[in-house]
Amino acid sequence: MSEQREEEEQELTEEGEDDTATNSQPGEPGNDGEEVQADGSTPGESALSPVKVVLVPEGHVMTVAFAIGLSIQELKFHLAAELRVPAEVLQISLDGRVVEEKQSLMELGVRPHSSTRLEMSSIDPTAHPLQHDDMPDVITVRVQTDDGVFQEVVVEIERPRQQKAFRGGYRHRLTGVEYHHAAVQTWPKRRPDRGVVVVSRDTQTVELKSQTQQCPVNVSTQMTGIGCYVSCTNDRLVAPGNYITAEEYHNRRLRAVICLQSFARRWLAQQAVDHLRRERDRRLAWLELQERRRREEKEEQLRDRRQRWLSPQRREDFNLLYHALEKWRCEEEQQINSSMRGAERKAALCLLLQQETKLIAAIGRHRIAVQNNNYDKTIRNFLDKSAAPHRWRAADGRLLEMDSQHTVRARELRDLYNDVSLPDVGQEQRLDILMILKHTVMEHECQLTRDIVDLIDREVDLMTRGVKAASLEGLRKRISTLLLQYIKTPAFNPEVAKLLKVPQNSSQLKNDMFLCRSCHRYLRSANFSPAASARVSGQCRDCVRLDNIARSRDDFTCYKNILSRLRADEQRLNEDAKIPFLLQAEDVRYLVEVVWASRSAFHASSDLYNLVFVRWEHRRDWSPWNCILLSKEEMSAHLEVQDAYEATFICRIEHKHMLARRHFSQIPVMAEYLDSQLTATLGNQLVSKHITMTVKHATDSTSDSAR
């Protein structure tokens, strides 16, 4: 487009020069002067000249071709339309001198086809700044001609003569930046001229005309007259009704519309109320179901605790008994100290000590009986594990089993042990079992097998002499014990090597043995407490359990229940959760008792069997610094409500998170899940004290003094 404009300007310039050369004949009038055109301007004034306008103070340059006869005022109007500012605020200067509006470019010394540089500024730069787009006015394009030669062509950028139409757009919600759809940069295609005016003012104007019309057909009516009778039997008498005005008509329509709307709104209201009623009933049914489930769960816990008190079978059950015993002792001791003085108090404390001793002895006897009853179950589970075939799941989901020579050997020894341990068998059957056992153990020559063979021969000799079975019970017990020892030897039964606690390879024990400072035994690391927050106390599990029975008598059942429920919930929300599986019951006890003071965060509920840990921020994984202790009733409300707590409550929860973060940041296995910056900040704000050990020693000293 710019090249076409340059060609037109060049053709106009050439035509002007030809006309000047033709009209300026020597010797004719007017040769020395300029020829005057019809509009009063000379041909030189219509010649074009490029003018470079510098915008001050931005420094942008606008290059536009103007006629040299154009005045400064007309130049301002043109530039004001380009820059979208009023022409009154523009000020044009040449070489630092302000130019008057009446002067023309020719008077300023502008000649055709010569470049001129003008400065333009705004009188009010704050309200009307001079801004121009970054597109240059002239660009150089390198094109290839038909001869294959590259040639540089100067192309002038033509500014749009009209404002681009707004084609719509959108706005970024976060940044607020507006984006407009691009408008067409070329002129619209002009429709071909049909020779008929299709767009006219007359076609858009309604012309009103009043004109009377007369029916061209004459119609006559008949009536009774002289010589004509018209029957009136079928005539109807029509009486005029009341005249209804327009206002009355519209009022009647309005009342009808209001009536329809009232019925429609009533129906919609009934539907909404029915929906709300159904939602209420569903909500009440769900709440009743949850309440019944919590009540059943509470009753199940009470029945389980009562059953564990009456018939303890596991170590946790005996810990519950010792905990109840300690609670009873503390209550009795407090009552004695508050109601008695002097010798009477000492006698009551001695009687209390005797009762406590009797109860401890009864619990110990029951524990020994339970251990004897559970011994056979433990041995049989051990033998079943060693004799179990190798199992794996195939690609199609089927469970495959495979027996090796070791599993077959373990299964034979298991069946042999079960036969030897049968209590009531006949003499012939017993002799067959002993012969099979003798031939089995004689495959290996060692002191253990020789002892077993000697005991078998002794029992066979006594049975042949007619000794009663009750007298052989001890001998048979010794044979079963030695046979079990024979089965647990990996040289005779290789399959049990993977089930033994002590590995047979001594190199595996080199870096995995530790000294217990209480029982002075060297044990493996698996025999020590694996709690994440446990200090290096140097006590094995048995010593810690014995110390708990003798001193504090704590019950960790409730904390284990809290931990198991926490692990199940986190496993359901995130399969890659790690922190809940690093914690142990002792760590949960520290969180519950020290950090959360054994109370829920909302209503301060102190029932440990009804407390659970949930996430404080639902989008982050659970951790001791992203949790809250609530009751089971409060948990559902917390999961439904988000970011609706008061500032004081949030500060209190964040303070507890800081305490937990400070405590667990000292543990290497938990420190890697902490933010280093937050850890450093907490280290400068808090001072760590081992609260658990302090409380424990204080309790121990009080108990010892009371005893």
Side-chain angles (χ1 to χ4, degrees), residues 645-664:
Y645 299 115
E646 296 181 353
T648 55
F649 181 78
I650 295 176
C651 293
R652 183 160 59 90
I653 299 300
E654 290 179 351
H655 175 68
K656 295 182 180 298
H657 291 171
M658 291 171 62
L659 295 177
R661 186 187 295 271
R662 177 55 184 169
H663 174 74
F664 287 97

Side-chain angles (χ1 to χ4, degrees), residues 213-228:
Q213 298 289 339
Q214 179 64 33
C215 180
V217 180
N218 295 326
V219 179
S220 61
T221 59
Q222 293 182 353
M223 58 181 296
T224 301
I226 299 174
C228 180

Side-chain angles (χ1 to χ4, degrees), residues 21 37 48 55 63 66 71 148 189 201 234 258 269 368 450 457 472 490 494 537 568 628 695:
Q37 298 180 358
L48 300 178
L55 303 181
T63 304
F66 294 106
S71 64
K189 185 178 180 180
R201 179 71 178 175
N234 296 326
I258 293 176
I368 293 174
R450 287 194 293 267
D457 294 339
L472 299 176
S537 59
I628 182 172
V695 175

Side-chain angles (χ1 to χ4, degrees), residues 359-372:
L359 293 176
I360 292 175
I363 295 175
R365 289 192 298 269
H366 186 73
R367 184 174 184 179
I368 293 174
V370 170
Q371 288 179 353
N372 294 332

